Amino acid sequence: MIGTIVKKEIASNLLSYKFFVVILLMTLLLATSFFVLYKDFKGRQADYELVRPKPGEAIAVLAPNPLSIFAKGLDEAMTRSFEVGPIGIQVRAGQKSGNAVFAFFPAPDFVYIVKVVLSLVALLFGFDQISRERETGVLRLMMSNSVSRAKVLTGKWLGNYLSLAVPFLLVALIGFLLMTLDPQVRFGAMGTGRFLLLLAVALLYIALFLSLGILVSALTRRAAASLVVLLLIWAVAVFVLPNLGTLVARQLVDVPSVKALSEKRQQTWTREILLAIVEGRAQGRQAVDANRKTHLEAINTEFDKLEHDYRLKFDRLVRLSKTINRLSPAASFVYAATELAGTGIGEESRLKDEIVRYKDAVFQDFDQGRKDHAAFAYRYRSAGQVLAQGGMFDLGWLAAFTVVLFGLGFAAFVRYDVR
Amino acid sequence: MLGALIKKEIQANVLSFRFVAVAALLLIVVPVAVLVLSTDAAKKVDEFSSRRSGIETYLKSYAHFNRLQNVIQPAQPPLASYALVRGISSDVNIEEFDDDPLPVMFPLLDLTFVVAILLSLAALIFSYDALCGEKEDGTLKLMLANGVPRAKILLGKIVGGTLTLLVPFLLSLVLGLIVILLNPRVAWGGSDWAALAVLLAGAAVYVLFFLVLGVFISARHQSSSASIMTSLCVWVLFVLVVPNLSPYFASLVSPAPSRIKISREASRLTDVERDDLGKRLAAEKMKELVRQYPALAENLSEAESKARAEKDPAYKEALQARVREVGAAWTEANRIQGAKAKELWDDMRRKEEAQTKLAGAVSMVSPLSDFTFLATDLTSSGLMNERHFEQLSRLWEQSYGDYVRARIGALQKQDPAVDWWNSPVDVSDMPRFQYKQEPLAARIAGTFLPLGILAGLALLAFAAAYFSFVKYDVR
């Protein structure tokens, strides 16, 4: 019985204007996004070849992450070059572009398209499932047969989910396969596995919004009202909550601004260098070197303290904003997707820890007068680690949302007056 | 007649569920957003003043000319308008180790965003069934059975819809502005209010465009369920996709070399290649000199040539000529290679500028970008302010350079034995960087282009809606 309903849903979808426009839009957007971000990745890869440190140099630079084509996240911040010198870590602007329009709008990557457009598309598939069929009278006819409401709802859900998910998967997989043809974009087995996981998260996210659509549709008498409610919920969940949540978290945790921190650093090192020179002048030639060393150490300790203090506060801000933002499934999706791709906040923070550790090792080299430094090596967290450190929570959260919404939808449908 | 139509539209809208839903959303979101933003703005003001006093304390004891410029870099102070509009003011500072990547993940929510996304969506929700919905209900037929021209019906729908949408928005904004007025630490001046007024005019045109667009789409469809699909797809393209793709598109069409590549090439030009050129030029000069002073051709050790120079004045002259000419050759090499490197940088900057221009132009197809540029330029949080800030910084750097030269000169005259570059000095009379917002007139003049494009788009949509409606089968 469910099979028949699923078939009927898919058939009616395939013939509808809605399916045509919406799938066209999705295909177009995904294809454009893949192409544009693939080109962007190639450009950054070419840049990386230029800044790649020579053996012995104390420079930490990561190669651009091929998965950033799908989830750009913080990849641009992570692939900057960090040079270790006598007064700490110097950051080169990396691949910052002179094109100022980039600053205005978020990158249109796969994650963005799924987060914004696919969620909307899923709602469009769900919003009229119950209320429209009541309006047209189909629902009454269907219920006059001996079919349980649970089966009708499951059939509807599956039919619509398949007619949305299959074209989506096809486009995404074809795009991915085309990219693997380029020998310079090396996803490897790991990357492929992570991309598939990314797709799974996206499918879960779409399921959530489809369930939401069906729920609201079962709560309203008219499809038009259902759509209005859904669009507003969508705007709040996708845009308002996560964007406002971060700002609210900032009010609750006192984190110094980046500019304030950088000014403090400038003041510290210029002060210590001056003191070294002035004291050296007063004490005569022999004392200069010893003096210089103590002041460089002072700079280093002060910098480490500033850095440590900032990271503590910033981590607290990140945790709090994550907690607040997770009210919105869109934020959960972004966290899970970017962390899986290795371009998320957690990965960036871990990279910074590693770089600080690398700096300490290079400083030991300086102390022992060694000129050759070991190369910086960074291993991204494995997918298992990512899942264990919050990824699983986001996935579970999305799944729980979906199940609850579907359950509520079922409860509402059972009590629905189909006349 | 038109009055009656507008009244009917407004009444129908106000009683509808969508009006209640949109109004409720706006009345919650706008005041909450303004409350959070203004608290944040006040916090920024506090932090900025503590940053300033930190610098002044430093200057009292440790100001020395060699590294002073690192400490007193020009900084953008927080503006009063940050309580409503943020633009690109958030510091995603990519040049520091401790950066703040949160805005990359989730951009801020501000008034621009509320208008650009929520209001445009609401406008489409209000208008997607303007004509086809009435056709489905059969009221359009009845209306046209009276002697009402179609143009008037269209106008009535558009005016009535815009009014019913703008009123709850303005109400919610008034609540937000009360929040701002109650916050004593966010001090709004006359120019801020004037800028807000122009911004609201822009918002009205923006909303009008989407409303007319919805009416146009509804005139192209026979059923409202198809009309909403088209409307939403067009909205997604205009609002969520075209602006985001435009910089990427521009970088494909009008490529600029990457900064990393240029800096590598420039340093090669002024380093390895300069050495090669310098050696070659010096060798050529030496050949000429040897013709003039054959004595130079002898390969003497340093000590021997020193001894000989003392005895032989002609040889001494030759040596001096050699130093002079070789020095000149290296200067020449430096100049040539420096000019080449400069040309490389200039070329890159030109290309970057061209790319930014193209990206801006492409994105201006989308009304969202037009409105974003308009709002950010009006409130000094956009591209215009970035250029303005750069100009102010340059001016300040010049006056600072003059000051340093004059002070160093005076100090060295006082006591030439001291290394004044690396000694603490009193800099209480040093010119401080003072940020001044661009005058309101200039900011308003900057909005003419985006406002004009928005108005043009609205007119275009109106013409399209009119012609589609004239041919519309109302049965």
Side-chain angles (χ1 to χ4, degrees):
Chain A
M1 194 62 216
I2 289 191
T4 323
I5 298 179
V6 171
K7 229 160 94 187
K8 173 230 148 204
E9 285 298 327
I10 294 179
S12 77
N13 267 336
L14 282 178
L15 294 174
S16 71
Y17 174 69
K18 169 170 89 183
F19 183 80
F20 170 71
V21 211
V22 161
I23 297 301
L24 184 74
L25 178 79
M26 185 188 79
T27 314
L28 197 79
L29 291 188
L30 282 179
T32 324
S33 152
F34 284 166
F35 175 71
V36 161
L37 277 127
Y38 164 73
K39 283 279 179 194
D40 176 65
F41 172 75
K42 296 281 281 185
R44 296 194 295 130
Q45 207 174 33
D47 278 350
Y48 170 71
E49 293 305 323
L50 291 172
V51 292
R52 207 177 191 158
K54 295 179 193 69
E57 277 182 330
I59 302 178
V61 199
L62 284 194
N65 179 348
L67 285 173
S68 70
I69 298 174
F70 307 106
K72 191 153 187 194
L74 303 178
D75 200 47
E76 240 162 83
M78 292 172 69
T79 51
R80 297 176 295 172
S81 94
F82 301 91
E83 290 183 33
V84 183
I87 57 166
I89 303 165
Q90 282 265 332
V91 179
R92 299 272 172 243
Q95 292 136 353
K96 191 181 174 191
S97 164
N99 184 344
V101 181
F102 277 112
F104 276 98
F105 313 108
D109 56 1
F110 173 78
V111 168
Y112 175 81
I113 302 278
V114 172
K115 171 186 132 184
V116 172
V117 182
L118 262 287
S119 58
L120 182 65
V121 167
L123 288 182
L124 291 183
F125 271 90
F127 84 99
D128 58 354
Q129 285 313 316
I130 317 287
S131 36
R132 169 86 69 219
E133 293 218 339
R134 183 197 67 87
E135 284 174 320
T136 51
V138 180
L139 200 56
R140 222 176 338 178
L141 291 176
M142 220 191 300
M143 300 315 297
S144 63
N145 293 304
S146 64
V147 52
S148 74
R149 291 201 178 195
K151 275 189 183 156
V152 171
L153 197 70
T154 318
K156 277 185 167 304
W157 194 93
L158 273 179
N160 281 289
Y161 190 65
L162 286 179
S163 38
L164 174 57
V166 171
F168 165 71
L169 277 180
L170 273 181
V171 177
L173 285 174
I174 290 175
F176 182 75
L177 284 179
L178 283 180
M179 271 180 241
T180 52
L181 291 183
D182 185 333
Q184 278 169 313
V185 185
R186 281 192 213 93
F187 291 109
M190 282 272 286
T192 311
R194 276 155 187 258
F195 176 71
L196 293 178
L197 267 173
L198 205 65
L199 279 185
V201 183
L203 287 176
L204 186 57
Y205 181 70
I206 296 171
L208 188 152
F209 275 89
L210 183 67
S211 310
L212 176 69
I214 291 182
L215 164 64
V216 174
S217 167
L219 287 173
T220 44
R221 306 290 297 161
R222 297 191 48 232
S226 152
L227 186 62
V228 172
V229 173
L230 282 172
L231 285 180
L232 296 182
I233 293 181
W234 171 77
V236 170
V238 173
F239 296 111
V240 176
L241 274 183
N243 297 2
L244 194 61
T246 319
L247 204 56
V248 170
R250 260 178 216 286
Q251 307 315 306
L252 302 175
V253 181
D254 233 354
V255 178
S257 72
V258 174
K259 293 259 167 65
L261 208 67
S262 118
E263 283 178 2
K264 278 230 181 79
R265 282 177 183 246
Q266 295 288 2
Q267 289 165 19
T268 307
W269 81 265
T270 50
R271 184 190 67 217
E272 293 297 327
I273 298 279
L274 175 75
L275 289 177
I277 293 173
V278 171
E279 283 166 19
R281 223 181 267 151
Q283 292 163 2
R285 274 266 154 248
Q286 290 83 6
V288 170
D289 279 344
N291 240 317
R292 202 180 148 74
K293 200 159 174 251
T294 46
H295 283 286
L296 282 180
E297 267 164 20
I299 295 175
N300 192 29
T301 10
E302 186 99 349
F303 276 15
D304 278 353
K305 217 179 112 229
L306 279 175
E307 140 88 24
H308 185 68
D309 184 50
Y310 177 77
R311 292 292 293 288
L312 270 184
K313 287 177 176 162
F314 190 73
D315 282 347
R316 214 179 312 146
L317 172 67
V318 167
R319 271 201 305 277
L320 183 65
S321 68
K322 269 192 177 175
T323 313
I324 298 177
N325 287 350
R326 276 181 177 137
L327 277 177
S328 144
S332 264
F333 168 68
V334 170
Y335 290 137
T338 50
E339 293 296 352
L340 275 174
T343 57
I345 296 179
E347 196 75 50
E348 202 236 7
S349 159
R350 191 167 161 269
L351 171 69
K352 285 218 182 116
D353 285 340
E354 291 290 312
I355 289 173
V356 171
R357 222 164 286 147
Y358 179 64
K359 180 209 76 182
D360 291 338
V362 171
F363 271 39
Q364 275 187 359
D365 288 353
F366 286 156
D367 277 349
Q368 292 158 7
R370 257 180 298 185
K371 287 268 164 56
D372 256 14
H373 308 288
F376 176 74
Y378 181 73
R379 280 177 65 92
Y380 285 90
R381 283 177 300 172
S382 69
Q385 272 170 310
V386 170
L387 289 177
Q389 292 165 8
M392 213 57 219
F393 179 81
D394 281 313
L395 284 181
W397 186 239
L398 286 177
F401 251 122
T402 311
V403 170
V404 167
L405 289 173
F406 185 79
L408 289 176
F410 178 67
F413 184 51
V414 166
R415 298 147 63 101
Y416 197 74
D417 182 357
V418 298
R419 283 164 303 174
Chain B
M1 192 63 220
L2 192 60
L5 282 170
I6 294 176
K7 214 170 124 194
K8 175 230 143 201
E9 255 335 290
I10 293 180
Q11 277 169 351
N13 270 337
V14 168
L15 293 175
S16 70
F17 172 68
R18 54 189 165 193
F19 176 79
V20 179
V22 167
L25 180 72
L26 286 177
L27 284 172
I28 296 170
V29 169
V30 174
V32 170
V34 176
L35 181 67
V36 181
L37 279 172
S38 56
T39 319
D40 191 59
K43 217 170 139 183
K44 275 191 166 9
V45 171
D46 288 350
E47 199 201 55
F48 188 74
S49 68
S50 87
R51 269 165 65 190
R52 276 214 159 156
S53 61
I55 290 178
E56 289 301 326
T57 325
Y58 170 92
L59 291 184
K60 267 188 207 124
S61 330
Y62 306 111
H64 61 294
F65 288 125
N66 209 0
R67 292 169 199 87
L68 186 54
Q69 202 163 1
N70 292 308
V71 175
I72 47 166
Q73 285 295 320
Q76 163 87 49
L79 303 172
S81 56
Y82 283 4
L84 274 189
V85 177
R86 281 298 165 81
I88 45 176
S89 66
S90 65
D91 36 39
V92 185
N93 198 333
I94 204 116
E95 278 158 57
E96 298 293 339
F97 182 68
D98 296 306
D99 58 347
D100 182 351
L102 285 178
V104 178
M105 293 296 221
F106 301 105
L108 290 175
L109 177 81
D110 64 358
L111 184 72
T112 331
F113 177 88
V114 169
V115 173
I117 304 232
L118 296 186
L119 276 193
S120 63
L121 185 62
L124 284 181
I125 292 179
F126 270 51
S127 64
Y128 76 94
D129 61 350
L131 299 170
C132 48
E134 290 225 23
K135 194 212 77 165
E136 284 171 331
D137 295 343
T139 40
L140 199 55
K141 232 185 315 192
L142 296 177
M143 226 192 294
L144 284 172
N146 295 301
V148 190
R150 293 196 178 197
K152 273 195 179 165
I153 293 185
L154 200 64
L155 216 57
K157 288 217 164 282
I158 290 166
V159 174
T162 313
L163 286 180
T164 33
L165 188 54
L166 285 181
V167 168
F169 168 62
L170 287 178
L171 264 181
S172 67
L173 189 61
V174 166
L175 287 184
L177 292 177
I178 290 176
V179 171
I180 289 182
L181 286 174
L182 286 181
N183 194 335
R185 292 191 300 162
V186 181
W188 272 43
S191 80
D192 292 314
W193 291 105
L196 178 64
V198 181
L199 197 158
L200 288 181
V205 181
Y206 179 75
V207 169
L208 181 74
F209 166 76
F210 276 98
L211 217 107
V212 180
L213 182 72
V215 173
F216 164 56
I217 292 172
S218 89
R220 303 297 306 176
H221 285 282
Q222 291 295 316
S223 80
S224 51
S225 59
S227 164
I228 186 71
M229 292 304 146
T230 314
S231 299
L232 286 176
C233 288
V234 171
W235 181 76
V236 164
L237 283 179
F238 264 154
V239 168
L240 301 176
V241 178
V242 170
N244 308 46
L245 279 176
S246 63
Y248 290 91
F249 173 76
S251 66
L252 288 182
V253 174
S254 158
S258 87
R259 287 186 175 183
I260 290 176
K261 197 170 158 209
I262 295 300
S263 85
R264 286 279 151 133
E265 269 171 38
S267 61
R268 189 176 50 82
L269 279 176
T270 55
D271 193 348
V272 182
E273 262 186 42
R274 184 214 45 195
D275 290 354
D276 290 349
L277 182 67
K279 274 179 206 149
R280 213 184 63 224
L281 287 179
E284 277 168 19
K285 279 272 155 67
M286 272 307 285
K287 251 187 223 159
E288 278 174 38
L289 280 174
V290 168
R291 234 172 284 142
Q292 213 177 333
Y293 307 99
L296 286 177
E298 294 165 41
N299 215 348
L300 296 179
S301 74
E302 215 169 300
E304 282 171 328
S305 83
K306 213 175 188 179
R308 188 169 163 188
E310 267 167 27
K311 282 180 264 163
D312 185 355
Y315 185 73
K316 195 175 177 186
E317 195 196 312
L319 277 187
Q320 276 165 352
R322 185 173 78 178
V323 170
R324 195 173 58 236
E325 291 296 315
V326 169
W330 279 100
T331 317
E332 178 70 3
N334 269 326
R335 192 187 58 78
I336 292 174
Q337 293 306 107
K340 273 190 195 164
K342 185 172 175 293
E343 197 174 313
L344 216 55
W345 281 114
D346 286 349
D347 178 60
M348 184 205 73
R349 275 200 200 97
R350 262 197 306 278
K351 284 186 176 149
E352 278 185 351
E353 239 161 72
Q355 196 187 89
T356 307
K357 260 203 186 137
L358 180 68
V362 171
S363 71
M364 276 174 126
V365 171
S366 148
L368 175 123
S369 336
D370 291 319
F371 180 71
T372 308
F373 293 145
L374 177 146
T376 52
D377 280 348
L378 266 176
T379 54
S380 298
S381 56
L383 290 180
M384 197 192 221
N385 184 57
E386 234 167 47
R387 281 193 294 270
H388 175 65
F389 184 81
E390 252 167 47
Q391 207 179 348
L392 286 181
S393 310
R394 259 202 304 279
L395 284 178
W396 171 81
E397 263 159 33
Q398 275 167 12
S399 68
Y400 170 78
D402 293 344
Y403 169 81
V404 172
R405 266 189 297 280
R407 272 306 294 278
I408 282 276
L411 287 168
Q412 269 166 350
K413 221 175 263 171
Q414 256 177 35
D415 188 352
V418 177
D419 170 15
W420 285 110
W421 286 98
N422 289 311
S423 301
V425 278
D426 174 29
V427 290
S428 48
D429 57 344
M430 179 185 71
R432 276 18 177 208
F433 175 75
Q434 290 288 346
Y435 172 80
K436 258 188 75 181
Q437 229 176 331
E438 212 158 358
L440 182 67
R443 282 184 274 151
I444 291 181
T447 64
F448 288 161
L449 179 66
L451 199 60
I453 294 180
L454 275 180
L457 284 172
L459 264 180
L460 210 67
F462 182 79
Y466 178 72
F467 286 115
S468 307
F469 185 41
V470 166
K471 293 199 279 187
Y472 195 63
D473 182 0
V474 299
R475 284 163 302 176

